[in-house]
Amino acid sequence: MQLLRRSIRFCLTLFVALSTGSTQATDHGVLNRLLEEIEKIPMVDTHSHVPLPGSDTEILKDPNFHYDVSWLLGSTTYAGEFLYGKDWPDTKKMLEINAQHAYYRPIRQALVDLYGLNPEAELTDGNVKTISERMDAKRRDATWYGEVYRRARVQHVITIEEHPDSLSHIHLPDTRIFPMWNVDFEIVYVATPVNDKEQKTTGFRHRIEQTEKHFGVRLHSLTDMETLIDREITRFFERGGVGLKSTSAYFRPLNFDTKVPRLVAQEVFAEVAARKIPSADRRRHLEDYLMTRVLKKLNQLKKPIQFHTGNQQSWNLVANSNPLELNKLLYDGQFSDVKFVIMHGGYPYTQEAITMVRYFPNAYLDLAWMALFSPAAAKTALADAIDMLDGRQLMFGTDSANLEEVLAEKVEGGFLTEQVALQIARRILYSNALELYGLASPQAANPTNSVLLRP
């Protein structure tokens, strides 16, 4: 079984073991030896969007709900854009168009690995009902969540969750779950206007009202906001948080200005506190100032932050996600102890991302999701990153191109010995993330998730 068959697909509902197809290596002896050893290495899921155990309890109580193929493909993150359908006839029509899509092929492999789809078959009228019934039965099995992680040998999972205490009820036999906090809307984008849909949903007319309710405070001034940032980030890590995250690239370019005068930020925040809406330019000044404050706190604590780069889907301009916009922050000199994690390989700016990371020891490249954009590009990026980066700077995410394939080609070409190839594999899959996020430290350990896989 290839490496990615034991990786977890980041989707809304299914814990999916990935595979990106057959190997191109010519020396199957080298490939098989590497694969056998790589299969023994535990993994760290550095970027999980898989719902936490118990998050679907209410929907499963609905007697009319069935976790079937059409529901999965229509609801899965991104795959739903290409495989939407209200029922199997609709889904089948979309599969006639998009069965080749990189978002779908790993899901099909999961149906093979987890639910018994014939490895040589596609979904058809003849097998979809059986597969759907198996999916629904497993989804209602309380042990299935942990079982899929066990099969995938995913030992540590980092998930978006601001409140570490909310993970205390999760008990998995072989996997620990750690929280990461996306600071965008509670902190950095406090001046962003609330749209009509959000107003109807939340009842808030201004985003600062959400922030105040969220933290149980009243923010009268920029000083209040600075105090909140310092206090809440410190508390987050004290309670077991392992990193912060920013998805700013969905909303704006990543060219944060670290030189915004405090007086300017103070004036803009005064407008926000008075429930006024500053101009777009003035909001940008405040965003820059608040992100700088977040990074200064991270620098003091020597902690990591993941920046979404690359893939934009339909949310924003592709150029906003260019990781080179972060070059100024890395070069600035104020943040040498912040650990910057460039997510998704920066795709399609992958070469730029690799080159930038190469020059900064506090920068890291995570290839998570790249294989879902393009397996071919992910393989090339992995090969180049192995050649160019410090051995501590590269992480695989759990859904990227076949590591064993890339390493086998380097061994065959005489570039690596098998011993060095396996050293690299262990660092990329496991050790680098363990060290970066401090997952082995007592502070980060979640005592309620007990037994771990042993390497």
Side-chain angles (χ1 to χ4, degrees):
M1 184 172 68
Q2 288 191 347
L3 170 67
L4 294 186
R5 292 189 186 178
R6 62 182 183 82
S7 299
I8 300 301
R9 165 74 169 99
F10 298 146
C11 67
L12 291 178
T13 54
L14 176 67
F15 317 129
V16 177
L18 297 178
S19 174
T20 55
S22 60
T23 179
Q24 300 299 313
T26 56
D27 186 342
H28 292 287
V30 170
L31 176 65
N32 290 336
R33 287 193 299 273
L34 288 175
L35 183 55
E36 182 179 356
E37 293 303 313
I38 288 174
E39 281 287 335
K40 300 174 184 178
I41 301 173
M43 298 182 73
V44 177
D45 180 346
T46 58
H47 190 72
S48 178
H49 288 290
V50 175
L52 295 174
S55 61
D56 56 2
T57 301
E58 290 305 312
I59 193 172
L60 290 176
K61 290 179 181 178
D62 183 350
N64 297 315
F65 173 75
H66 299 285
Y67 182 62
D68 58 17
V69 165
S70 294
W71 192 91
L72 169 69
L73 298 184
S75 303
T76 300
T77 305
Y78 303 134
E81 297 178 15
F82 302 94
L83 297 170
Y84 51 85
K86 67 179 184 299
D87 53 24
W88 169 242
D90 279 353
T91 302
K92 183 170 69 170
K93 291 177 183 177
M94 296 309 299
L95 281 171
E96 289 172 356
I97 300 170
N98 285 316
Q100 87 296 336
H101 204 283
Y103 282 145
Y104 169 66
R105 299 315 294 178
I107 296 177
R108 179 204 162 272
Q109 185 61 52
L111 300 180
V112 172
D113 291 344
L114 299 179
Y115 304 115
L117 179 66
N118 186 322
E120 304 301 321
E122 297 292 332
L123 287 171
T124 65
D125 292 337
N127 61 27
V128 70
K129 181 179 179 181
T130 298
I131 297 300
S132 291
E133 288 174 348
R134 292 172 182 171
M135 289 170 55
D136 193 64
K138 286 294 187 182
R139 183 62 177 273
R140 298 170 192 277
D141 179 353
T143 67
W144 185 235
Y145 191 109
E147 169 64 15
V148 175
Y149 273 135
R150 184 193 65 78
R151 291 192 196 182
R153 291 187 65 81
V154 174
Q155 186 176 93
H156 302 287
V157 175
I158 297 175
T159 188
I160 300 301
E161 174 53 62
E162 180 192 343
H163 302 290
D165 296 343
S166 68
L167 304 179
S168 61
H169 71 285
I170 298 174
H171 301 270
L172 298 177
D174 302 307
T175 305
R176 287 178 175 172
I177 299 179
F178 299 90
M180 175 170 282
W181 177 17
N182 186 335
V183 295
D184 286 338
F185 281 105
E186 285 98 0
I187 301 294
V188 179
Y189 296 96
V190 70
T192 302
V194 178
N195 61 41
D196 292 341
K197 182 178 179 181
E198 287 178 300
Q199 286 189 34
K200 291 178 181 178
T201 302
T202 65
F204 295 118
R205 297 183 59 192
H206 301 277
R207 201 166 301 280
I208 190 172
E209 296 170 1
Q210 290 179 283
T211 299
E212 289 176 339
K213 182 177 180 180
H214 186 82
F215 293 109
V217 298
R218 183 72 168 90
L219 298 170
H220 300 281
S221 66
L222 182 61
T223 298
D224 291 342
M225 190 68 190
E226 292 168 326
T227 300
L228 182 144
I229 289 172
D230 291 347
R231 181 183 68 241
E232 294 301 328
I233 290 178
T234 298
R235 285 180 178 177
F236 176 71
F237 286 106
E238 287 176 347
R239 291 181 296 159
V242 298
L244 303 187
K245 180 180 179 179
S246 173
T247 52
S248 293
Y250 288 140
F251 320 116
R252 52 160 287 177
L254 296 170
N255 57 344
F256 293 100
D257 181 0
T258 63
K259 304 296 192 294
V260 174
R262 188 178 187 278
L263 181 60
V264 172
Q266 195 171 11
E267 292 172 352
V268 181
F269 194 88
E271 294 183 56
V272 175
R275 301 326 192 233
K276 298 178 182 179
I277 301 177
S279 68
D281 287 342
R282 287 173 66 77
R283 293 200 303 270
R284 180 66 62 88
H285 293 324
L286 184 60
E287 293 164 9
D288 292 341
Y289 184 88
L290 294 177
M291 177 59 79
T292 300
R293 184 75 180 200
V294 168
L295 293 174
K296 286 180 177 178
K297 188 62 182 178
L298 286 175
N299 193 68
Q300 177 188 342
L301 298 174
K302 301 182 179 181
K303 295 294 185 179
I305 181 170
Q306 292 183 355
F307 276 96
H308 172 89
T309 66
N311 181 46
Q312 289 292 80
Q313 295 299 317
S314 60
W315 290 312
N316 210 337
L317 299 173
V318 173
N320 283 0
S321 69
N322 190 337
L324 283 185
E325 296 287 3
L326 295 171
N327 204 151
K328 288 179 286 187
L329 292 179
L330 287 162
Y331 186 74
D332 189 282
Q334 296 185 69
F335 314 117
S336 57
D337 286 325
V338 177
K339 302 171 182 179
F340 291 84
V341 186
I342 311 303
M343 296 305 301
H344 316 311
Y347 184 84
Y349 305 99
T350 307
Q351 295 299 324
E352 291 92 332
I354 293 173
T355 302
M356 180 179 71
V357 169
R358 177 188 180 194
Y359 294 120
F360 298 96
N362 62 322
Y364 302 80
L365 190 71
D366 193 317
L367 300 182
W369 278 32
M370 270 203 70
L372 301 184
F373 311 147
S374 168
K379 181 179 176 182
T380 299
L382 181 58
D384 288 350
I386 287 173
D387 289 350
M388 294 178 66
L389 299 183
D390 182 285
R392 294 162 290 194
Q393 289 181 296
L394 180 61
M395 275 156 286
F396 210 55
T398 52
D399 51 345
S400 297
N402 283 3
L403 178 62
E404 70 275 7
E405 196 175 317
V406 173
L407 292 175
E409 291 177 359
K410 290 183 179 294
V411 170
E412 290 169 21
F415 187 74
L416 299 176
T417 63
E418 289 186 41
Q419 177 183 352
V420 171
L422 290 173
Q423 289 175 194
I424 293 170
R426 184 175 180 81
R427 294 212 66 88
I428 293 174
L429 289 172
Y430 186 67
S431 301
N432 285 346
L434 209 68
E435 294 168 6
L436 172 63
Y437 295 105
L439 303 185
S441 69
Q443 180 180 357
N446 182 346
T448 63
N449 293 333
S450 53
V451 182
L452 291 180
L453 295 170
R454 296 303 173 192

